[in-house]
Amino acid sequence: MAVNDNRAEGLPCSTACHVRARIVTVEEENYRTRTFTTDLHWPHARPGQFAMVWLPGVNERPLSLLSHTPVRFTVAAVGPFTRALHHLQPGDALWVRGPYGRGFPITGRYMVMVAGGYGVAPLHFLAQEARQTGCHITVIVGARTRRDVLFVERFTALGVPLLITTDDGSYGRRGTVADALADVIRGSHPVDAVYACGPAPMLEAVNRLCKAARVPAYLSWEGIMRCGMGICGTCARGAWLVCRDGPVAYPEDDSSTSINAGGIASASHTSRLPR
Amino acid sequence: MNTPDLQVTFCGKLFRNPLVLASGILGTQPELLARVAVAGAGAVTTKSLSPHPRAGHPNPSVLKWGPGFINAVGLQNPGVEAGVRLLEETRRLLEAQAPEVHLIASIFAETVEGFARVAERLTAARPDFIEVNVSCPNVAHELGRPFAADPEDAAAVTRAVKNATDLPVIVKLSPNVTDIAVVAQAVEAAGADAIAAINTVAGMVIDVRARRPVLANEEGGLSGPAIKPIAVHAIYEIYRKVSVPILGIGGVTCGEDAIELMMAGATLVGVGSAAYWHGPEMMGILAGQMRAFLRAEGIARVCEVIGAAHRTEEAW
């Protein structure tokens, strides 16, 4: 590629806010969910971190990373932005900035990962990284019903034990991921750490269980974001900045700033962004 | 030498240090304002509150760009009634956790009467100051030229707010004018108790690969290190022309930057974009850096540096 600015000579150069990436492949995960592989490499990105993804003329939204080399995203088409993203084909462009936020730490010998709905992506990234450290992993994947269950093949391919739950019992065990987690925690193997990503009520249930059982929980929360880098305060839940302090809440977080300590309940001034 | 004294007096009120959380940064939640206060601020400012809730502009709305940031949040806020609760809850937390930290309510409205109404309503929540935001640069599509673009308009808003509240009133000015000192003189004559300068600098960033402005609102306001010399110059000019105190704002990311704005004439120094580098606990870090500078330079009290850059002949 031709050198078209001053960068090579260490001189001042044009500075964009985003990096343009190209879609390399698009894979169907279920009836409304696709995985997009880009040509972008972020070897320093960690599981649990996110990118701000801009579709010019549409919107810019935070998306969890499924992997760093290459950068991949798994996205359910649930709103105008994600539906627009689903129109992208290999060769199309999207604009990305990041990675942002504090991801999951890899800690302990026996890790349990709990994913609700499309919370599977950052936990698959984590499982992939953690497996290389030789720790033991159990994954629990839950959804409302059979057709919403994601990543069964991807987790199976990693060779980690997988428990599936659905609210209506149409696939795997009937019940919630929290029910399955309670059994795993009560099981013969002492659990060193629990990692979870999914809807807020699920995270609250996981947190209650882990607190009662004195198992450290690392919970990845969602936020409505503008800057993604800790300056605007839009995503704040109480004193806790989802984008910068999180999105992963750690058990040892100071109680005054931690979402684990009930910051979510006081998030009374948050409002939705315009579409 | 003893620990340098960072205390300053502004509009008759004692501040433990000159550092103020600038409006629009981390000012969305009582707990977050309290977190910034506890970490060492002299005062904290809410996001600008308007007569009715505002959703603000769509994303992209806040971006890192080169040596700074560009934003067009579009004055997103929950409106004046939720604003009263925000102020009351913040006040309650500050009294419990950082009672010496002052609370500034930033206000915004579409009309002169709207400014007066918001000021009157928020006065009931007893913030320590009302900051009048007549200078947001990124709502022109919707609202036209900001009041701060014209000395008479800025003065009219100032008079209306002064009549609506017994609290000290700070008027925040725009750098996007030919002569900011003329506007400062007009709002001083209209009764402003203090002047805040500067708001963000109007700007635009175009992504050359997308071939369009990156902000959904297209134009926005620049902040961060990119605008510090503009802020220093504006404060210097205002200080020469008015006698009310100045809350200087613009591109402060370290203690020496804060000292620089004070030497230009600021009594208080707003800090905003620095949260990107230092996090919500930035104020304690900057206060420590200010003390280190004063100690190294043999200056006992920070108030000695206010306007110091104007006295070059004496120094010689």
Side-chain angles (χ1 to χ4, degrees), chain A residues 15 225-226 233 239 244-245, chain B residues 28 35 57 59 61 76 276:
Chain A
T15 46
M225 289 180 193
R226 285 187 181 278
R244 183 183 178 113
D245 298 318
Chain B
T28 52
R35 179 178 173 188
H57 298 311
N59 278 345
S61 57
Q76 178 184 17
Y276 173 79

Side-chain angles (χ1 to χ4, degrees), chain A residues 15 17 20 54 56-57 59-60 95 97 225-227 229-233 236 238-239 244-245 266 269-271 273-274, chain B residues 25-26 28-32 35 55-66 73 76 207 209-210 212 275-276 279-280:
Chain A
T15 46
C17 304
R20 182 177 64 184
W54 176 39
N59 215 322
E60 187 196 46
W95 277 254
R97 58 190 176 97
M225 289 180 193
R226 285 187 181 278
C227 73
M229 51 198 167
I231 60 177
C232 71
R244 183 183 178 113
D245 298 318
S266 59
H269 299 276
T270 50
S271 55
L273 291 191
Chain B
I25 305 290
L26 305 177
T28 52
Q29 302 275 334
E31 298 85 350
L32 193 50
R35 179 178 173 188
H57 298 311
N59 278 345
S61 57
V62 186
L63 297 164
K64 179 83 183 69
W65 165 82
V73 168
Q76 178 184 17
D207 186 294
R209 291 176 180 80
R212 61 193 300 156
Y276 173 79

Side-chain angles (χ1 to χ4, degrees), chain B residues 220-239:
Chain B
L222 291 170
S223 65
I227 71 163
K228 195 185 68 174
I230 300 171
V232 169
H233 178 237
I235 295 160
Y236 193 91
E237 291 299 309
I238 294 166
Y239 185 80

Side-chain angles (χ1 to χ4, degrees), chain A residues 213-229:
Chain A
R214 295 175 187 278
V215 176
Y218 299 87
L219 311 173
S220 177
W221 296 87
E222 259 190 315
I224 294 161
M225 289 180 193
R226 285 187 181 278
C227 73
M229 51 198 167

